[in-house]
Structure formats: structure tokens, C-alpha cells
Amino acid sequence: MKIQLQTNRLILRDLEDGDWYEVHQYASIPDVSKYQPWGPNTEEETREFVIEALEAALHQPRERYALGVVLKETKQLIGAVELNIKEYNRSGELSYILHPEFWGNGFASEAAKRLVAYGFKELELHKIFATCDPRNTASSNLLQKLGMTYDGRLRDDLFIRDGWRDSSLFSLLENEY
């Protein structure tokens, strides 16, 4: 089943095959993947990401919701939000990414908030969590704005280009939502 969620300014929808080019416009920028174990992407890596998202959308029960973030007004794809489901404990891991041209306008918060609502209301999750690099204050602030609690720091949690990275862990429980 195809997913399409809306906010005041955005449409969140399943990625489509032709989206790889717009995804690549931000996934190839070094600042976008600065705190991530991937990127900056080659065209082939971006195409593979979109193919994996398309395949994941077909699985039942669905465990990965990789949705394009599209501006309602212009229909431009400006980023993506994801919810990766851990069915055994009814939890989901939230992630988000936007083209830097659109940073600072509240689009990431708006998209993440809508996907969190979908996770709790439609998917009936017990917990939604997210991690971010402790140096990424914009992401930490966004997660707190969503009402998430800072649960702690995972030491040497992820290997990225400049070595091991800690992760700040945030979560929100269904009874807190």
C-alpha cells in the first residue's frame, strides 16, 4: 500500500524510481552526510538507496517507511524522512534529511512530526527513537522539539569518515505522545 501523508506545507510520500536525481542533489553534498556513515553519495549509491526504499515498500509487514519530503506548492522533493520498524518491540527509529537549501525553515520538524504521528496513531508503536551525533545541535534541538527525551549517550556507536562517533539517543513513548 502506497503511503502519502500531508502537513500544511508538505507531502510525505513513498519514494519513486525517478526520485533518485532529486535525492542525489542533496545526498552528494558533503555537509549533508557530515555526521553519517554514508556519503557524499555517488550517483550509483543514490540510485541503490532509492531501489532499496522501493523494495522495502513492498514487504509485508512493512518494516521501512522511506518517504520523500515534497513541497506542496512546487512539488519539489527536498529531502526524506524514515521510520524503521522493530516489530518485536513495537518501536520505530526515526531519521530525516533535507537539502541544505531548505535548512532552518522548519521543514524537517514538520515532516518528522507528521511521521511520528503516523507511527503512533496508524502503526500503533509503543516507542519512537532517534540518534544523532552530539555535535549536531540542530538535530538534537529538532528531536527535543518533537517532545523526545534525551536518554543518554552511546559511546563509539558509529564509524564515520573521521573515526568513531558517539550518538545521542532520544525517545518518545506512546503514553507521552
Side-chain angles (χ1 to χ4, degrees), residues 5 11 30 85 96 98-99 104 108 114 131-132 141 154 160 162 164 166 175:
L5 309 173
I11 298 169
I85 308 301
Y96 41 84
L98 286 184
H99 192 293
R114 181 63 184 96
T131 62
C132 69
N141 291 340
L154 304 170
I160 61 174
D162 62 353
W164 286 101
D166 290 356
N175 65 339

Side-chain angles (χ1 to χ4, degrees), residues 101-164:
E101 188 178 305
F102 299 94
W103 290 355
N105 295 298
F107 292 124
S109 297
E110 192 172 323
K113 183 178 180 180
R114 181 63 184 96
L115 193 54
V116 165
Y118 182 78
F120 284 126
K121 293 177 181 177
E122 305 300 320
L123 301 177
E124 299 178 340
L125 296 177
H126 171 67
K127 175 170 74 172
I128 295 176
F129 66 96
T131 62
C132 69
D133 190 305
R135 299 170 292 181
N136 190 345
T137 54
S139 193
S140 292
N141 291 340
L142 185 155
L143 295 170
Q144 291 173 60
K145 188 191 282 188
L146 292 176
M148 290 191 168
T149 298
Y150 174 72
D151 291 328
R153 189 174 186 128
L154 304 170
R155 298 180 313 140
D156 281 359
D157 182 51
L158 193 60
F159 190 79
I160 61 174
R161 285 160 298 291
D162 62 353
W164 286 101

